[in-house]
């Protein structure tokens, strides 16, 4: 097989890149380790920035996100038992986010890809990358007992944190920055109406909690748990009790509980790999960087990366100008590090850390108070939460 761009991974970054390239007439093949059903079964992010919505529109896959997504103009911060609204819409000159699940984004992208008859190889085993430091890169994989090879011009490594793409780069050519947090998020998805029409981020003496949603009838809730916690130890009832204990009296009263559709623990990590390009291999999304989910940035960063990458390929193939490909890594990393900073900061502000001490606790409280009462501080939060603009090449 031969293609222009071989894309490793059929998560949101790989599938969105495939659609953006196809819309620009650039041929691509997606190779995914898991089955399509497995990919769709992963419950992850829920908040889309306008930049992400715009990229979905550019790819021609925004119809359902626009029709069914919930526009959100603000978020609520809960601390010391009271809620304070951050009016993102007013503070950012009219920007907002859209609540629409990653699962649905992935489903829309998969369906659009299938409708166009584009090649996606699911359940590909032992995917390996070859010769991306030369002129003729290749991707090899095994399927149905046979070995297959794709010849391509470029490889896009969109295969997540545990993927093969970053791992294929010689260790001397890559620099890794990492911070691991001493807690994780226990998340529950349930078919119950959300406790409030906006997201509530709660800092409480029992730890962080987040009230989010997927629709008017489906809620997504999280509570901070120690990093070594096991999901098997949490019955639905124990989860609802713990969440309730972290809410304000009004939310406690309105909370509707029900059987969980999904329950899992996600560890929290900050991670960046630099650079994001090695010869003819480009990394995008979680393959290159991870943020703790507090700022709702993971999926949005992945979308922004492939927005840049598709533009760079368009400059290269259509305008015969290779310089955009040379600028890809630097341009991405500038925005990535700002999202890393924001996600680290919001995580530090909202969680209980085992070793904070009394001084650290007082500083956290002062910062929350400052946010609730200073327009300048709230504007900074709002500007980052709705997403920083993309630069142009
Ligand atoms: P993905 O979604 O991980 O997709 C990568 C795809 O590559 C495949 N793959 C391979 N394919 C071929 N060969 C190999 N050797 C391969 N190795 C892996 C995988 O099967 C997969 O299909 O990365 P992508 O596309 O860059 O998208 C990034 C987002 O998924 C991610 O940033 C967010 O979901 C992060 N994240 C969250 N972000 C938020 O904004 N809010 C959240 O609430 C939130 N929750 C989460 C999350 C990430 C989690 N992870 C990574 C475990 C919860 C979890 C549990
Ligand atoms: C979610 O709905 O899963 C979600 C929302 C906001 C976050 C993280 C996760 O910051």
């Amino acid at each position: 097989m031969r293609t222009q761009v071989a894309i490793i991974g059929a998560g949101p970054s790989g599938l969105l890149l495939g659609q953006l390239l196809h819309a620009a007439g650039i041929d691509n093949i997606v190779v995914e380790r898991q089955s399509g059903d497995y990919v769709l079964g992963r419950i992850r992010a829920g908040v889309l920035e306008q930049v992400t919505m715009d990229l979905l529109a550019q790819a021609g896959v925004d119809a359902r996100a626009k029709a069914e997504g919930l526009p959100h103009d603000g978020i609520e911060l809960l601390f010391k038992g009271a809620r304070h609204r951050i009016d993102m819409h007013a503070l950012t000159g009219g920007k907002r986010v859209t609540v629409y699940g990653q699962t649905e984004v992935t489903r829309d992208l998969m369906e659009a890809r299938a409708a166009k008859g584009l090649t996606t190889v699911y359940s590909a085993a032992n995917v390996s990358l070859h010769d991306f430091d030369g002129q003729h890169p290749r991707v090899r994989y095994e399927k149905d007992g046979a070995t297959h090879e794709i010849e391509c011009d470029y490889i896009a490594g969109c295969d997540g944190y545990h993927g093969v793409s970053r791992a294929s780069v010689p260790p001397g050519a890559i620099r890794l920055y990492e911070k691991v947090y001493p807690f994780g998020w226990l998340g529950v998805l349930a078919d119950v109406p959300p406790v409030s029409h906006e997201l509530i981020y709660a800092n409480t003496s029992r730890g962080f909690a987040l009230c989010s949603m997927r629709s008017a009838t489906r809620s997504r809730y999280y509570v901070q748990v120690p990093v070594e916690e096991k999901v098997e130890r949490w019955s639905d009832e124990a989860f609802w009790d713990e969440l309730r204990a972290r809410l304000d009296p009004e939310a406690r009263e309105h909370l509707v509980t029900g059987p969980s559709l999904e329950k899992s623990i996600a560890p929290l990590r900050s991670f960046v790999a630099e650079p994001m390009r090695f010869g003819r291999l480009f990394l995008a999304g979680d393959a290159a960087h991870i943020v703790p989910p507090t700022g709702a940035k993971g999926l949005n960063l992945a979308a922004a990366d492939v927005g840049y990458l598709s533009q760079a390929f368009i400059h290269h193939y259509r305008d015969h100008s290779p310089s955009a490909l040379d600028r890809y890594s630097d341009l991405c990393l500038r925005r990535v590090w700002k999202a890393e900073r924001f996600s680290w900061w919001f995580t530090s502000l909202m969680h209980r850390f085992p070793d904070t001490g009394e001084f650290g606790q007082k500083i956290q409280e002062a910062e929350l108070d400052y946010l609730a009462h200073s327009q300048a501080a709230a504007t900074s939060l709002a500007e980052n939460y709705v997403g920083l603009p993309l630069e142009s090449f």
Side-chain angles (χ1 to χ4, degrees):
M1 272 190 285
R2 165 142 195 105
T3 191
Q4 289 175 300
V5 181
I7 300 173
I8 317 297
S13 56
L15 291 172
L16 179 57
L17 178 63
Q19 288 312 112
L20 291 169
L21 293 182
H22 174 74
I26 300 169
D27 189 41
N28 62 86
I29 294 176
V30 175
V31 181
E32 163 64 48
R33 178 168 59 179
Q34 306 287 357
S35 68
D37 283 346
Y38 182 95
V39 171
L40 278 178
R42 291 189 295 226
I43 309 296
R44 290 185 178 173
V47 175
L48 306 186
E49 296 172 0
Q50 191 57 46
V51 163
T52 304
M53 290 291 282
D54 292 346
L55 287 165
L56 290 174
Q58 195 184 319
V61 280
D62 64 331
R64 210 159 62 91
K66 262 165 88 178
E68 295 175 22
L70 308 172
H72 277 218
D73 288 352
I75 56 171
E76 293 202 285
L77 301 182
L78 164 56
F79 59 94
K80 289 198 162 167
R83 282 193 245 162
H84 305 264
R85 183 166 191 266
I86 303 289
D87 188 339
M88 296 181 308
H89 191 256
L91 291 165
T92 60
K95 293 189 182 165
R96 49 169 63 101
V97 295
T98 303
V99 170
Y100 188 68
Q102 177 167 335
T103 316
E104 305 310 316
V105 174
T106 310
R107 188 190 306 280
D108 295 345
L109 286 163
M110 271 183 179
E111 284 176 4
R113 195 167 171 85
K116 296 264 192 274
L118 305 176
T119 309
T120 312
V121 183
Y122 284 103
S123 307
N126 295 320
V127 177
S128 57
L129 282 52
H130 304 272
D131 301 334
F132 53 82
D133 52 348
Q135 295 299 308
H136 303 289
R138 286 166 299 123
V139 173
R140 212 174 282 155
Y141 63 92
E142 291 162 22
K143 182 153 176 156
D144 302 329
T147 301
H148 305 263
E149 195 168 274
I150 304 171
E151 292 176 16
C152 54
D153 299 341
Y154 295 97
I155 302 174
C158 300
D159 49 351
Y161 181 66
H162 299 287
V164 65
S165 299
R166 193 183 68 248
S168 304
V169 175
I174 192 166
R175 179 129 191 229
L176 309 178
Y177 301 84
E178 185 171 40
K179 179 173 176 60
V180 178
Y181 300 84
F183 41 74
W185 282 13
L186 169 64
V188 156
L189 185 72
D191 271 337
V192 291
V195 67
S196 171
H197 66 285
E198 290 186 336
L199 271 62
I200 304 174
Y201 288 84
N203 176 324
T204 82
S205 58
R206 301 179 71 93
F208 170 78
L210 170 59
C211 304
S212 182
M213 66 196 73
R214 292 291 175 271
S215 69
T217 56
R218 182 169 285 188
S219 299
R220 179 69 164 159
Y221 293 111
Y222 298 94
V223 293
Q224 172 186 351
V225 292
V227 72
E228 62 279 358
E229 191 60 81
K230 297 275 175 277
V231 69
E232 304 75 47
R233 289 185 0 104
W234 286 83
S235 65
D236 286 359
E237 203 183 1
F239 177 85
W240 294 119
D241 285 347
E242 187 55 42
L243 177 66
R244 199 178 285 110
R246 297 185 190 192
L247 298 180
D248 57 292
E250 193 199 337
R252 211 173 284 158
E253 202 181 302
H254 282 100
L255 183 71
V256 182
T257 64
S260 63
L261 302 171
E262 194 261 3
K263 197 191 293 153
S264 55
I265 295 182
L268 267 64
R269 179 191 306 275
S270 298
F271 170 84
V272 181
E274 285 190 358
M276 288 169 62
R277 179 210 182 154
F278 309 89
R280 287 175 175 256
L281 167 64
F282 295 84
L283 300 181
D286 279 14
H289 41 72
I290 296 286
V291 286
T294 326
K297 288 281 159 265
L299 170 60
N300 291 301
L301 271 188
D305 286 356
V306 301
Y308 280 135
L309 189 52
S310 61
Q311 283 302 315
F313 280 132
I314 292 168
H315 281 297
H316 173 68
Y317 282 112
R318 217 163 53 188
D319 313 332
H320 306 287
S321 152
S323 63
L325 286 175
D326 294 337
R327 293 197 57 214
Y328 167 73
S329 178
D330 284 351
L331 214 52
C332 278
L333 284 166
R334 281 174 61 165
R335 195 167 179 280
V336 163
W337 274 112
K338 290 186 193 109
E340 289 284 344
R341 183 209 69 81
F342 172 66
S343 303
W344 159 83
W345 168 79
F346 202 27
T347 300
S348 309
L349 179 73
M350 297 309 295
H351 291 74
R352 294 292 157 133
F353 286 71
D355 55 359
T356 303
E358 286 178 359
F359 183 82
Q361 183 57 37
K362 284 286 186 189
I363 293 290
Q364 203 186 51
E365 287 168 18
E367 185 153 17
L368 282 162
D369 197 29
Y370 177 50
L371 262 176
H373 296 103
S374 156
Q375 181 161 324
T379 303
S380 170
L381 166 57
E383 174 179 56
N384 282 279
Y385 194 90
V386 300
L388 298 175
L390 288 185
E391 291 177 70
S392 50
F393 279 101

